Amino acid sequence: MKWETVIGLEVHIELATKTKIFCSCSAAFGGAPNTQCCPVCTGMPGSLPVFNKKVLEYAVRTGLALNCDITRYCRFDRKNYFYPDLPRAYQISQLYLPFAENGFVDIKTRSGKKSRIRIHEIHMEDDAGKLVHSVEGEFTYLDYNRCGIPLLEIVSEPDFRETDEVTAYLTKLKSVFEYLGVSDCRMEEGSMRADVNLSVRPEGSSKLGTRTEMKNINSFRAIERAIAYETKRQTEVLENGGKIIQETRRWDDVKGQSFAMRSKENAQDYRYFPEPDIPPLYITEDEINHYREVCPEFADEKAERFVEQMNLTEEDAEIITASKKLADLFEGTVKLCRTPSEVRFWFMSQLLYLMNENNIHADKVTLTPEKFAEFIGFINSGIITRQTGREVFEQIFFGDENFDIAAYIKGNNLEQVEDSGLIEATVQEILTANPKAVMQYKNGETKISGFFVGQVMKKLKGKADPSLVNKAVAEALDKA
């Protein structure tokens, strides 16, 4: 029997507000344990929450970007459960009246397949704290800094059938959040993570199977592995005559397995009721129109414009616009030097190479459009060649905004050699040293001329004008 995998996602993103959702504690990542919490976010008796309106702005902007209907009237609810990292024993969330519903995201997988993923709802809630287990497994420490960090939970319909669709969807969401500026989406810091709801059913069946939920997976690779493992596990259980239990499972990325944690709760298990300490929220038509007007140009739109205006290929445009910071760097540089093809060359061949080679995230790139354009100016004016330019670009990439390009070029004697006499003498030297290669050229192997050009450029340390070298080599070989 052939089986079909059915997947739905609950994606959590931490919002990039300066303070928490219901108190004035810092929401910054990385503080010393238990230094960014107060009686409100640790649930002390008598403390009262005060809603951070910036959270609502970020939430509405996200809902609009994901094509959702914005609820004009929404409210918070108490979700009652006890875990050590949730000290007040309930989470403030939205069950009955979430702020956004009925959205969708259009995706394209790596194979080029296009599909639309429906979004059931998006709701606001606060995050729990963090459990830190000792190496020996003997103790568990509590860090309440994350309690009260504002979260959005994006709940999809069960529209995914393959892992590539999940990856494309998460990539699209990550891009939207970054372009909006509502979250840094640093999965390694937990600011974007996903719960995977998965079931299998006989291919062609319209009835959903019993699902399991794998909680808080925080990397694309781990999500892909978890889906593959859980699909295989459920298929084997059913083929052996067993039944799938509706449960919450923990994904262990080191072991490459999921493990049962608890039976899956339903809404009634959490005893939801309206949050009595926070009044309902009213979102006006004017507010919605304002947030719609200030929506940025997203990656898809920007990539399309780059193709039309800058003659980029679709593939290059998609790579460049995958990160808002890098897209802004590219566009800002082009505006200053007006040579998009040259900027594209250095962006694709050197910038991305240095980032990948040194494991540098886009957020950590310090190169400015001004410095990038200044470098392109030295290339376009012929002061340095592309070959020596690689050395200069690396210095700029790792340097600061005060790095003096002209001084570095001069101090390291990197100016382009345009002395035709020197070039011709070097060509003759190379031909004399390689008589067999010269004979091959005379016997009709004309492609070997590239060998001579390379040797001349190497001898002159990449500083010679390539056009002068090519001309000198051609003339010398014809006379040989």
Side-chain angles (χ1 to χ4, degrees):
M1 178 184 294
K2 289 188 176 181
W3 299 89
E4 179 182 55
T5 306
V6 179
I7 304 166
L9 295 180
E10 299 168 17
V11 177
H12 296 80
I13 62 161
E14 291 183 353
L15 297 179
T17 54
K18 292 182 179 179
T19 56
K20 295 183 180 181
I21 187 170
F22 299 123
C23 67
S24 59
C25 290
S26 171
F29 177 82
N34 298 308
T35 58
Q36 295 172 187
C37 49
C38 70
V40 173
C41 52
T42 53
M44 295 294 103
S47 61
L48 290 172
V50 177
F51 181 60
N52 180 350
K53 194 174 181 182
K54 195 71 175 177
V55 173
L56 183 63
E57 175 193 332
Y58 283 6
V60 173
R61 290 174 61 200
T62 300
L64 291 171
L66 300 182
N67 306 295
C68 292
D69 298 328
I70 304 301
T71 307
R72 303 313 190 260
Y73 169 88
C74 65
R75 74 177 189 219
F76 286 99
D77 305 295
R78 284 192 183 181
K79 181 181 182 182
N80 297 275
Y81 62 98
F82 174 76
Y83 290 112
D85 57 353
L86 192 68
R88 62 171 178 250
Y90 63 86
Q91 182 184 34
I92 300 177
S93 184
Q94 292 185 307
L95 174 69
Y96 300 108
L97 292 172
F99 76 90
E101 300 174 306
N102 304 320
F104 65 87
V105 174
D106 290 325
I107 62 169
K108 184 172 73 171
T109 66
R110 284 171 285 201
S111 65
K113 176 186 174 184
K114 295 181 180 180
S115 57
R116 174 167 289 184
I117 305 300
R118 296 170 297 155
I119 292 174
H120 178 72
E121 68 174 52
I122 310 177
H123 57 260
M124 296 176 280
E125 59 188 23
D126 59 348
D127 208 350
K130 184 179 180 181
L131 301 176
V132 182
H133 305 290
S134 66
V135 176
E136 302 82 8
E138 199 173 342
F139 302 101
T140 296
Y141 303 97
L142 296 170
D143 180 4
Y144 291 135
N145 280 351
R146 202 170 66 184
C147 280
I149 296 292
L151 287 178
L152 294 186
E153 181 173 339
I154 299 95
V155 183
S156 81
E157 298 289 0
D159 288 349
F160 304 94
R161 297 294 179 269
E162 56 187 57
T163 306
D164 274 359
E165 291 178 328
V166 171
T167 302
Y169 173 77
L170 292 172
T171 302
K172 184 69 171 284
L173 288 187
K174 187 173 184 288
S175 174
V176 168
F177 302 149
E178 288 179 345
Y179 271 80
L180 283 172
V182 301
S183 176
D184 58 27
C185 296
R186 290 176 182 161
M187 298 184 81
E188 71 279 5
E189 296 179 1
S191 59
M192 180 177 175
R193 51 194 191 266
D195 300 344
V196 178
N197 294 288
L198 186 149
S199 64
V200 296
R201 65 185 179 189
E203 195 174 81
S205 172
S206 59
K207 183 181 178 182
L208 293 173
T210 302
R211 66 185 172 90
T212 60
E213 180 183 32
M214 291 179 285
K215 300 286 287 185
N216 293 328
I217 310 176
N218 65 351
S219 80
F220 287 7
R221 176 61 179 153
I223 289 168
E224 291 173 355
R225 295 179 69 209
I227 289 172
Y229 174 86
E230 186 62 12
T231 298
K232 184 173 182 290
R233 187 191 72 83
Q234 289 192 23
T235 300
E236 290 176 348
V237 169
L238 294 172
E239 288 182 340
N240 290 324
K243 289 186 177 180
I244 302 300
I245 300 171
Q246 182 174 321
E247 61 187 358
T248 298
R249 300 180 67 85
R250 177 179 64 85
W251 172 251
D252 188 320
D253 202 43
V254 175
K255 295 181 179 179
Q257 292 179 272
S258 66
F259 298 91
M261 292 172 62
R262 59 183 181 272
S263 61
K264 176 62 180 164
E265 300 94 340
N266 293 310
Q268 61 266 29
D269 296 319
Y270 291 116
R271 306 187 312 283
Y272 280 97
F273 63 86
E275 170 56 56
D277 293 332
I278 303 173
L281 303 173
Y282 294 88
I283 307 169
T284 68
E285 201 68 36
D286 287 344
E287 286 176 312
I288 293 173
N289 289 335
H290 169 69
Y291 295 138
R292 185 176 280 116
E293 288 171 3
V294 298
C295 243
E297 180 184 43
F298 291 106
D300 290 349
E301 302 161 312
K302 195 179 286 290
E304 188 176 333
R305 180 167 59 81
F306 283 3
V307 170
E308 292 176 358
Q309 295 180 1
M310 302 182 191
N311 295 318
L312 297 183
T313 65
E314 289 186 10
E315 183 181 1
D316 285 352
E318 287 178 4
I319 292 172
I320 289 169
T321 58
S323 159
K324 182 179 185 299
K325 181 168 183 179
L326 295 185
D328 289 344
L329 172 61
F330 177 85
E331 186 166 21
T333 305
V334 170
K335 283 181 179 178
L336 291 171
C337 67
R338 303 191 179 280
T339 51
S341 61
E342 193 65 31
V343 178
R344 186 214 68 83
F345 172 82
W346 290 100
F347 192 99
M348 303 298 290
S349 67
Q350 288 299 110
L351 179 69
L352 296 182
Y353 166 76
L354 290 171
M355 288 175 61
N356 292 332
E357 192 73 8
N358 297 278
N359 198 26
I360 296 174
H361 189 271
D363 287 348
K364 304 298 182 183
V365 173
T366 58
L367 180 61
T368 64
E370 292 76 17
K371 192 60 67 176
F372 200 164
E374 183 185 354
F375 166 77
I376 296 295
F378 284 98
I379 295 291
N380 289 340
S381 63
I383 293 174
I384 54 175
T385 65
R386 279 185 171 181
Q387 191 165 338
T388 53
R390 287 180 169 82
E391 177 186 337
V392 178
F393 188 89
E394 186 169 347
Q395 295 297 321
I396 298 168
F397 180 82
F398 291 110
D400 57 32
E401 60 183 13
N402 297 317
F403 179 78
D404 192 326
I405 301 176
Y408 183 84
I409 292 170
K410 189 173 182 62
N412 289 274
N413 192 27
L414 298 176
E415 293 95 338
Q416 181 166 269
V417 174
E418 294 182 325
D419 184 339
S420 58
L422 175 60
I423 292 173
E424 289 170 5
T426 305
V427 169
Q428 288 300 324
E429 181 183 341
I430 297 300
L431 264 61
T432 302
N434 296 277
K436 288 184 179 180
V438 173
M439 188 57 67
Q440 286 177 270
Y441 179 84
K442 287 183 175 183
N443 291 333
E445 296 181 35
T446 55
K447 289 184 178 179
I448 204 167
S449 62
F451 163 76
F452 293 108
V453 171
Q455 290 298 305
V456 172
M457 292 297 292
K458 182 179 179 180
K459 184 73 173 179
L460 296 175
K461 298 181 179 179
K463 297 186 294 181
D465 184 333
S467 62
L468 294 179
V469 172
N470 275 283
K471 181 181 177 184
V473 167
E475 290 176 350
L477 285 172
D478 287 342
K479 295 175 183 178

